[in-house]
Amino acid sequence: MSNEHLIIHYSLLIMNLVTLENISKQFSERVLLDGIELQINDGDRIGLIGANGSGKTTLLRIVAGLEPSDTGKVTVWGGVRLQFLGQSTQLNDDLTVLEQLFESSSPQIRLLREYEDVSRKLLQRPFDPSLQTQLGDLNAEMDRTHGWKAEANAKAILTQLGVDNFDAKVGSLSGGQRKRVDLARALIDPADLLILDEPTNHIDADTIAWLERYLATVPRSLFLVTHDRYFLDRVVNRIIELDRRQLVSYDANYTIYLELRQKRHERLVVAEEKQRKHLRRELEWLRRSPMARSTKQKARKQRIETLQTIKYDKGEQQVVMSLAGRRLGKRVLEARGLSKAYGQLRLFDALDFDLIAGDRIGIIGANGTGKSTLLDVLSGSTKADAGVVSWGETVKVGYYDQRSRGLQAAMKRNLRVVEFIHEEAALVQTADGERVSAAQMLEWFLFTRPQQRARLQSLSGGEKRRLYLLSILIHRPNVLLLDEPTNDLDIQTLTVLESFLDSFKGSVIVVSHDRYFLDRTVDFLAVFDNGRFEPRYPSPYKPRRSQPSLQKPKPSPISDPRPPIPKPQKLSYMEKRELAELDARVEKLEREETAVKAEMHESGADYVKLGELTAVHERITAELDKIMERWMELSERAR
């Protein structure tokens, strides 16, 4: 057989499900996708990863046909069925759980729904000959198409997901139960391509493990976004990274992807530097040479234009967090006799809990057992019905809750990103003694200077969570309460949070279902069940210290706290005047920046003018950054 015939034969074996051509998407001035090309084939199990706000959810919705692209074409080949599961549930509150599952467009589920409908009518009119005939025909069709198996499969999936009341109204379910019903709805529908957006959020570790096993056995293609790195290792066979508006594909699970990606970046760093040197030489020629205006040099100018549009992958930006520590005494937390109930639902009763210096405890358990409520009570954000919570004198608690309450309040005030962080801590001390500004701290967490001036409402959900995490950590807590920290955070931020916790000297309590994160960050796991703690046991892969005592620790003398940082001097008369003028100066520079950008866009192929405008834009940006830093410095001292 010739090579040509082999290629044709091989292409027939690989059925293309969806093709994306030149897909671009922009929200306001923010470009998320720029000329995306992608093929999803039968048998592909793709994990899409990328930073929060990079456009992962947008891309999933475009593939699913739920959101249009600005440019390009999405082709779903004939007969291919898609099923989409988003982060928020789309359920009918008036239906029962089982009725909701039968609200599917698949032929088998439609047949089952029709059979159930005729059966109900026949119960009301048992002697109706037309209904009897319909039911007989449907019964035969159910036998022929194995429809009974579909019903049994639906109920089995619901049971495995922890939903066993099939007749309950959807509107009566908790948020976690609604998520499970929505997940079951997606799983029972035999689509060719299953599109999942964060399917592991808000479900417990046992359910995630079952979902891994289930997806490994069903013959369907997957296109999913998840931060669960074990899930990516065990379920996907292809990783696609969305980085700077482009896709980079790796035929690998997550572990192998990390190795391949590192090698790729090492090669690209060398290639990028060569291209940069070449581009600098070409641009210098354009600025200096009279021949640059000659039509004979058209080919050279086109080559330079191509060089300027090439996007080189230097590796993902890294979130950096290097803050000065805060001393923690031996006495950290004693909680005695804690009780909490909501109506008839009693979460815990007469509960004791101790935390000593250096403890790193992961709390696990089924959804709805009261884990988050316990953290609310310990932090003081929720009052216990009974009991006492006593923190040590040197304790500074940082509570990263699921609702991002501090950020929600700032959003109501329509603050900008930099204003929010400036109010939290305008200046902070790093581990090496340096004082850094709010703008620098935001850059640690991948918020560029233009993004820092954006309103909080314009951020994606993941970016808001990343910003909220920064707002907790910059207060330099020595005790961290983390409630589901991996929900909505990208893998990139999670990796750096794990590195931060590696060097963190305080105590940590984590509520999480993320097995990878728990293995990396805690020493012991405590199962919270029926309002009680089961005995602690070492977290897999992380046996750092001997098991801490469950007994009440003996109080220790409170040592002197760390000397406070001297307060900065008050503003002089001239500095007060300077501060009053800075706001107007910032607004003026922002208007100039917008005007220069518009002029650059209209410059077309006039590279001499474009070079001049680029220099002007860089000058404005540098001056704007300098002024913003000065404004924050003076504002802090003016408090």
Side-chain angles (χ1 to χ4, degrees):
M1 186 180 291
S2 68
N3 288 339
E4 182 180 353
H5 287 125
L6 282 172
I7 292 171
I8 294 173
H9 180 67
Y10 182 68
S11 66
L12 292 174
L13 293 177
I14 302 178
M15 185 178 79
N16 182 231
L17 304 179
V18 181
T19 300
L20 277 67
E21 301 172 86
N22 193 34
I23 298 297
S24 298
K25 186 69 176 181
Q26 180 172 344
F27 290 102
S28 185
E29 296 182 355
R30 187 173 189 178
V31 179
L32 293 180
L33 310 174
D34 186 9
I36 292 293
E37 305 281 338
L38 176 63
Q39 284 194 341
I40 303 176
N41 299 319
D42 186 29
D44 278 348
R45 292 168 172 258
I46 301 172
L48 178 64
I49 64 176
N52 290 139
S54 61
K56 300 187 299 296
T57 293
T58 298
L59 181 57
L60 290 190
R61 291 179 59 82
I62 289 174
V63 172
L66 300 174
E67 191 165 315
S69 59
D70 296 337
T71 66
K73 181 182 178 183
V74 178
T75 303
V76 179
W77 296 101
V80 171
R81 295 188 64 253
L82 310 181
Q83 178 65 263
F84 176 76
L85 175 69
Q87 293 191 45
S88 58
T89 58
Q90 303 293 327
L91 304 177
N92 188 335
D93 290 347
D94 296 328
L95 297 180
T96 67
V97 169
L98 205 56
E99 289 171 343
Q100 181 68 73
L101 259 64
F102 294 159
E103 287 290 299
S104 167
S105 60
S106 73
Q108 198 173 48
I109 297 300
R110 282 204 309 268
L111 177 64
L112 183 57
R113 186 168 65 239
E114 188 177 355
Y115 179 88
E116 294 285 342
D117 183 54
V118 173
S119 295
R120 283 194 298 269
K121 291 178 180 178
L122 194 59
L123 285 175
Q124 298 170 356
R125 305 197 304 273
F127 302 109
D128 188 321
S130 64
L131 290 177
Q132 291 173 350
T133 301
Q134 286 183 55
L135 190 65
D137 292 342
L138 289 170
N139 191 72
E141 187 66 11
M142 289 279 285
D143 288 338
R144 188 183 69 81
T145 62
H146 306 289
W148 310 113
K149 184 178 180 180
E151 181 180 25
N153 185 47
K155 291 181 178 180
I157 288 175
L158 279 172
T159 302
Q160 289 288 348
L161 291 173
V163 180
D164 50 14
N165 186 355
F166 307 141
D167 297 323
K169 290 288 187 180
V170 170
S172 69
L173 303 180
S174 67
Q177 290 172 320
R178 291 173 67 92
K179 172 77 174 181
R180 291 160 187 260
V181 171
D182 207 21
L183 180 56
R185 179 187 58 81
L187 295 179
I188 68 166
D189 198 344
D192 300 290
L193 176 61
L194 183 57
I195 304 171
L196 306 173
D197 192 4
E198 296 288 5
T200 62
N201 270 7
H202 311 294
I203 58 176
D204 57 51
D206 289 341
T207 305
I208 294 173
W210 174 84
L211 181 60
E212 286 176 355
R213 295 192 298 270
Y214 179 84
L215 291 177
T217 61
V218 294
R220 65 176 70 182
S221 300
L222 301 174
F223 188 34
L224 61 90
V225 169
T226 181
H227 59 263
D228 190 316
R229 286 154 287 184
Y230 282 159
F231 195 85
L232 287 171
D233 251 355
R234 296 163 182 169
V235 172
V236 310
N237 57 21
R238 183 179 171 196
I239 295 286
I240 292 181
E241 183 178 12
L242 179 53
D243 185 22
R244 287 180 284 276
R245 304 179 294 279
Q246 296 292 311
L247 296 181
V248 183
S249 181
Y250 300 84
D251 291 328
N253 64 7
Y254 182 73
T255 298
I256 299 175
Y257 146 78
L258 291 176
E259 300 172 2
L260 295 176
R261 185 178 184 280
Q262 179 61 32
K263 293 177 181 177
R264 175 177 179 272
H265 289 319
E266 289 171 356
R267 294 193 304 268
L268 290 177
V269 165
V270 176
E272 182 183 25
E273 185 56 33
K274 291 180 180 178
Q275 294 285 10
R276 284 182 181 277
K277 290 179 180 178
H278 182 50
L279 178 58
R280 283 196 294 268
R281 288 195 299 269
E282 296 283 6
L283 287 173
E284 185 66 21
W285 173 87
L286 275 177
R287 294 189 184 102
R288 295 178 179 273
S289 174
M291 294 297 291
R293 300 178 183 87
S294 170
T295 56
K296 295 180 180 179
Q297 301 301 323
K298 182 178 179 180
R300 190 166 190 178
K301 286 188 283 187
Q302 287 178 339
R303 187 168 68 252
I304 294 171
E305 186 175 342
T306 301
L307 280 170
Q308 287 180 310
T309 60
I310 292 176
K311 299 178 180 68
Y312 300 105
D313 193 340
K314 297 179 292 184
E316 67 185 9
Q317 296 169 291
Q318 288 297 312
V319 182
V320 178
M321 199 69 186
S322 176
L323 296 176
R326 190 187 297 268
R327 182 191 168 277
L328 180 63
K330 290 184 178 180
R331 180 176 174 270
V332 178
L333 169 65
E334 296 176 6
R336 294 291 177 266
L338 298 182
S339 299
K340 187 63 183 178
Y342 290 99
Q344 299 299 314
L345 178 62
R346 181 162 295 279
L347 296 176
F348 44 87
D349 190 28
L351 180 70
D352 295 339
F353 185 83
D354 290 330
L355 188 69
I356 61 176
D359 264 359
R360 292 167 176 259
I361 301 171
I363 299 178
I364 61 176
N367 289 334
T369 56
K371 303 184 299 296
S372 295
T373 302
L374 175 61
L375 291 194
D376 284 345
V377 169
L378 294 179
S379 69
S381 58
T382 295
K383 184 176 176 57
D385 298 336
V388 177
V389 176
S390 177
W391 290 98
E393 294 292 335
T394 61
V395 168
K396 172 68 174 178
V397 177
Y399 182 25
Y400 181 79
D401 64 279
Q402 289 195 55
R403 295 179 289 279
S404 306
R405 279 171 280 206
L407 183 62
Q408 295 300 325
M411 287 177 63
K412 293 178 181 178
R413 295 161 52 205
N414 200 29
L415 291 180
R416 297 180 187 271
V417 171
V418 70
E419 291 170 340
F420 170 64
I421 291 298
H422 182 266
E423 287 189 359
E424 293 292 326
L427 292 171
V428 72
Q429 185 178 6
T430 65
D432 57 7
E434 182 185 358
R435 302 293 292 276
V436 297
S437 67
Q440 289 171 293
M441 288 183 277
L442 283 163
E443 287 183 331
W444 288 349
F445 264 49
L446 304 187
F447 290 97
T448 63
R449 295 302 172 100
Q451 286 178 316
Q452 293 176 23
R453 296 194 289 275
R455 300 289 178 183
L456 296 177
Q457 290 91 336
S458 69
L459 301 181
S460 71
E463 287 174 318
K464 290 173 184 174
R465 291 294 284 170
R466 189 201 309 157
L467 182 64
Y468 184 56
L469 176 61
L470 173 61
S471 74
I472 300 297
L473 297 182
I474 61 177
H475 289 289
R476 300 188 298 114
N478 50 23
V479 173
L480 281 172
L481 308 182
L482 305 175
D483 190 10
E484 295 290 0
T486 66
N487 283 352
D488 303 314
L489 285 182
D490 54 67
I491 292 175
Q492 180 181 353
T493 307
L494 287 177
T495 300
V496 177
L497 175 58
E498 290 161 358
S499 298
F500 172 81
L501 292 176
D502 282 344
S503 59
F504 183 66
K505 303 300 182 184
S507 299
V508 181
I509 302 176
V510 180
V511 169
S512 180
H513 299 306
D514 191 313
R515 302 151 297 173
Y516 191 105
F517 185 80
L518 289 171
D519 286 345
R520 281 281 285 108
T521 59
V522 305
D523 297 331
F524 296 94
L525 297 176
V527 180
F528 195 61
D529 187 29
N530 294 320
R532 311 300 305 170
F533 280 114
E534 297 298 325
R536 303 178 189 179
Y537 60 91
S539 174
Y541 319 122
K542 193 131 176 161
R544 289 185 183 171
R545 298 182 289 270
S546 60
Q547 181 169 338
S549 172
L550 290 174
Q551 302 299 320
K552 177 179 176 181
K554 295 181 179 179
S556 59
I558 304 301
S559 303
D560 293 333
R562 188 179 63 84
I565 299 173
K567 293 183 179 180
Q569 296 179 351
K570 293 295 183 181
L571 297 182
S572 66
Y573 169 77
M574 294 301 294
E575 286 173 327
K576 290 178 182 178
R577 184 173 177 178
E578 178 188 0
L579 179 59
E581 296 172 349
L582 286 179
D583 277 330
R585 181 62 179 153
V586 168
E587 290 182 9
K588 182 175 182 296
L589 286 170
E590 287 181 338
R591 287 195 299 270
E592 291 177 4
E593 183 183 30
T594 301
V596 169
K597 281 183 178 179
E599 198 172 352
M600 291 171 67
H601 182 71
E602 296 171 358
S603 296
D606 189 344
Y607 293 100
V608 175
K609 184 177 180 181
L610 187 59
E612 294 170 351
L613 290 172
T614 301
V616 173
H617 181 261
E618 290 176 352
R619 176 187 60 77
I620 292 174
T621 303
E623 186 176 356
L624 190 57
D625 290 345
K626 183 178 180 181
I627 288 176
M628 289 296 291
E629 289 186 15
R630 179 63 173 164
W631 176 82
M632 287 182 285
E633 177 187 350
L634 294 177
S635 297
E636 172 63 15
R637 290 171 55 192
R639 282 179 157 184

